Structure formats: structure tokens, C-alpha cells
Amino acid sequence: MPKFLHTADWQMGRTYSRFDTEDSAALVEARYEAIERLAALATEHQCDAVLVAGDVFDAQTVSDRTIRRVFNATRNFEGPWVMLPGNHDAALAESVWMRAKRLGAVPANVHLALESGVTQLPEQGIAVLAAPLTQRHTYGDLTQPFDTTETPSGLLRIGLAHGSVQGVLPDDIDSTNPIAPDRTQSAKLDYLALGDWHGVREINERTWYSGTPEPERFRNNDAGYVLIVDIEEPGATPKVTRYETARYQWHQWRENLSVPSDLDELLNRMSQLPEASVLDVKLDGTLTLVGDQKLTDALSIAEARYRSVTCDRSGLQLEPTDEDIAALRADGYLGDVVQELRENQRANDEGDDAEVARDALAILAGLLKPKDPEVAK
């Protein structure tokens, strides 16, 4: 029973400029660890081969060190690897793949499918029909030759391609590198291993996207897995099992706060995240001064606990309650200032003036807040 691991979209060499240096370095390192995990999985589950459906590298210009580290990370699986160029690492005349060869970085058990054709793995019972991208964007279906490509009888016919299955994926990514949705039928493939969509997605029982093994963006599309595929014999229905490989979970929340319970619910959810979380929060609505301080304290705790936490509070307005104002003991001139800042928020609603007024009100509240808890009682 041939068994293989299907993965794609490693995009090694990717950078995370929106994060600070420490977090960026950790997210980069997690991608190498993901390769090591999937290699260990392939060994543990006694896979016959590992198929990588494109975008091993994020760009043609990645460093030599990145190239060497990628191939070093595969060493935990000694069986054959078949790697396909995708749109980020297309098989140009001068490409990252040619540099890897010149560096002598490609292990003997790694097959680079740089040209259309068949990679035969007779000991594993598999024939891999490859459709590598030789430029970043194409407008013809590179898998069409599969229909007339012959393979030895008795070997599984496994297609390996990188692109967009037509009429299935969202329209905004459906224009280049097209793949016919019925290719497994027309080419009599036992399985079509695809890359380009970064989450696990079943197109039909023989056609799957594996997604990226380590999430790299805020998109809820089932990223962070690899697929192990069992096919008893040519023509048999594949058994596809997904295994989680993600180190970090990415969460993006967009919340409107209007009553105190909204904030309580948000902070409760935040406190229950796993430590290996990357969290991006954008808030709008209103908060009392007490609520604003609760949010600030909770974010401080979360920033120390999770991999990365960012919170956009520009859409929030501070609405001090009478109790807030009384607790500040802001009377006379200070009371007038607090009232003026409240009115500036309401008058401007959105924009820089509202943000300045809100920030000033938060700073003033922090300065006036009693330092001795007993004083506030």
C-alpha cells in the first residue's frame, strides 16, 4: 500500500516586517521547525515519499544560508522527496533551484521536478507527474499534458502542481496558473497534490490542497497541517488524513464594545488562548475609564504571555461615567479639562482630533488615578 506525505507552500525566507525583531525571528524559525516535524511524521508513519507542491522558497533571492537550512531540515526523512517549483520559486533559467544545485545543498534523496515530466519512484510504487511553473504567472493549464503522459503500469499516477483550480477558489486568485477541476478524471490520476492555497482544502476525493505547514497570516483557512495519503492500489480511493504541524496559532479579532460585558467577554477569550498565539485585535465602540484601564492591564499581561499581541484602539471612545469622574477627584479646572476632552471626542467622532482627545483623556485619567487603593474606596 503506497503512502506519501503531501505538503506545500513552505515559503522559506519569508520575513515578518510588521513584527518586532524578537517575534519576527521566532516566526521565521517556526517554519524550519515545521519542515523538521513533517519529516519526522513521514518517518513515524512509514511514508514512502514526501511530495512538496510548490513554493518551497518565498523568493528567488533568498540567502544561501536559507537554502542550506531548508535541505538540512529534511534529513529526518531518508526516503525520496519530490519538490516542485511554484510561483514564488519558479524554475527560471537562473533560479533559487540552480543556486541550490551549485551550492551542493540538494541531498541525493531529493528530486527537483524542474521540468514537466514524470519522476518515477518504482520502489515506492509511485509515478509523479509534475507540472512545475517556469515563470511566476501562466494563463494555460500546465497539468493538461497529464492527460497524455504515460506511466508504467502498476505504479500510482500522482499529479503534482501549483495553481488555482478553476471555478472553485475565490475569483481574486482564480486568474493565473489555472488547473482544470476534473484533471484527475481526464488524466486518470490516483491523486492530484496541489499547492498555492494556504489551507487544507478538498476539491474532490482525489484532489487536495495541503496548505502551508506553518500559518503565516491572519486568515481562517485551516493552515498548519500536512496530509498523509494512503492508496492501496492504482484506481483505489485515496485515504487522506491531515496532521497538525503548526507551532503558532494566528488570531485576528474585530470587536465592537458597547457595554461592560463586551469587554469582559473579550478579556476572557484573550486569557484562554494558548501561549503560542499571534493575536491582532482591532476595537471600536466605547469604554469607561475603568474599562480602559482593565483593557490596558490585560493587554500588558497578554503581551508577556503570547508570541505577539497588537491592538488597534483608534476606533474606541472613552466615555467616563460619573463614578469615573468622582474617582478621579477632578473638580474645578481639571474637571473642565475632562469635560472638554469628552466633548472633543464626541464632536470629531473619528479622525486624528478624536484620537488625540481620547489619548489625552486616558493619560489624564492615569495621572489622576489614586496610587493608594485605599484612597479610591
Side-chain angles (χ1 to χ4, degrees):
M1 176 189 295
K3 180 192 298 186
F4 57 89
L5 187 147
H6 167 199
T7 182
D9 298 294
W10 296 356
Q11 294 194 270
M12 305 307 295
R14 184 184 181 94
T15 58
Y16 298 88
S17 57
R18 65 170 292 179
F19 299 97
D20 65 29
T21 302
E22 180 183 349
D23 291 336
S24 176
L27 294 172
V28 168
E29 196 63 28
R31 305 195 76 75
Y32 291 103
E33 294 171 357
I35 300 174
E36 294 171 351
R37 280 194 292 277
L38 68 87
L41 267 174
T43 298
E44 176 187 349
H45 290 272
Q46 300 181 320
C47 291
D48 296 296
V50 173
L51 309 184
V52 190
D55 283 359
V56 171
F57 298 99
D58 189 55
Q60 303 285 2
T61 55
V62 299
S63 68
D64 289 354
R65 181 174 185 268
T66 294
I67 292 172
R68 293 184 187 278
R69 288 197 66 191
V70 166
F71 290 109
N72 287 345
T74 67
R75 62 181 176 269
N76 287 333
F77 178 69
E78 297 179 353
W81 298 69
V82 182
M83 295 187 178
L84 182 86
N87 59 307
H88 282 258
D89 54 8
L92 309 176
E94 179 54 40
S95 68
V96 62
W97 303 103
M98 301 308 294
R99 282 202 292 134
K101 285 185 171 183
R102 286 198 298 271
L103 289 170
V106 184
N109 63 324
V110 175
H111 305 266
L112 304 183
L114 305 184
E115 298 178 355
S116 297
V118 180
T119 299
Q120 293 187 29
L121 305 175
E123 292 184 12
Q124 290 74 27
I126 297 171
V128 180
L129 292 75
L133 289 172
T134 56
Q135 58 192 54
R136 187 174 179 88
H137 299 305
T138 64
Y139 296 91
D141 186 346
L142 299 182
T143 67
Q144 188 171 2
F146 291 177
D147 291 359
T148 55
T149 299
E150 296 185 358
T151 56
S153 61
L155 299 186
L156 297 178
R157 286 172 60 85
I158 307 299
L160 189 62
H162 190 91
S164 303
V165 176
Q166 298 297 282
V168 177
L169 299 181
D171 291 340
D172 60 344
I173 62 168
D174 205 25
S175 57
T176 60
N177 309 324
I179 297 172
D182 62 348
R183 184 60 64 206
T184 54
Q185 295 175 345
S186 63
K188 296 181 174 57
L189 299 177
D190 293 294
Y191 184 84
L192 178 55
L194 296 178
D196 198 30
W197 182 256
H198 282 210
V200 174
R201 183 150 185 170
E202 178 183 5
I203 303 302
N204 56 54
E205 64 181 8
R206 297 186 184 275
T207 307
W208 287 72
Y209 286 96
S210 66
T212 180
E214 180 64 32
E216 84 293 1
R217 64 184 72 169
F218 296 107
R219 187 172 291 177
N220 185 22
N221 64 350
D222 259 355
Y225 295 89
V226 297
L227 303 176
I228 292 183
V229 183
D230 292 87
I231 308 178
E232 287 192 11
E233 59 184 1
T237 301
K239 177 186 176 184
V240 181
T241 308
R242 68 182 190 174
Y243 290 86
E244 187 170 6
T245 51
R247 170 75 173 89
Y248 293 109
Q249 295 183 15
W250 292 54
H251 305 272
Q252 188 170 58
W253 298 345
R254 299 293 179 257
E255 306 289 336
N256 180 275
L257 307 178
S258 57
V259 294
S261 60
D262 292 337
L263 176 62
D264 292 339
E265 194 274 335
L266 170 68
L267 299 187
N268 181 57
R269 274 195 296 142
M270 188 184 301
S271 69
Q272 295 181 24
L273 289 174
E275 291 188 8
S277 290
V278 179
L279 176 62
D280 177 70
V281 183
K282 182 178 176 63
L283 302 175
D284 58 28
T286 60
L287 273 183
T288 66
L289 293 184
V290 169
D292 184 67
Q293 188 59 51
K294 284 176 64 176
L295 175 61
T296 298
D297 292 343
L299 287 172
S300 178
I301 293 171
E303 287 165 358
R305 180 180 179 186
Y306 304 133
R307 177 70 273 164
S308 174
V309 177
T310 56
C311 183
D312 180 355
R313 300 160 74 165
S314 61
L316 280 175
Q317 285 199 356
L318 293 183
E319 292 289 349
T321 64
D322 292 340
E323 291 78 8
D324 287 333
I325 301 301
L328 294 177
R329 301 177 183 274
D331 51 14
Y333 172 72
L334 287 176
D336 292 341
V337 171
V338 170
Q339 184 60 33
E340 183 177 349
L341 291 173
R342 295 170 72 182
E343 291 173 354
N344 282 345
Q345 278 194 123
R346 297 191 188 105
N348 294 287
D349 192 24
E350 296 181 357
D352 293 341
D353 289 343
E355 187 172 348
V356 170
R358 185 192 63 252
D359 291 345
L361 188 54
I363 292 170
L364 182 58
L367 293 173
L368 295 176
K369 186 176 65 174
K371 300 298 185 290
D372 183 352
E374 293 299 321
V375 175
K377 291 183 178 180

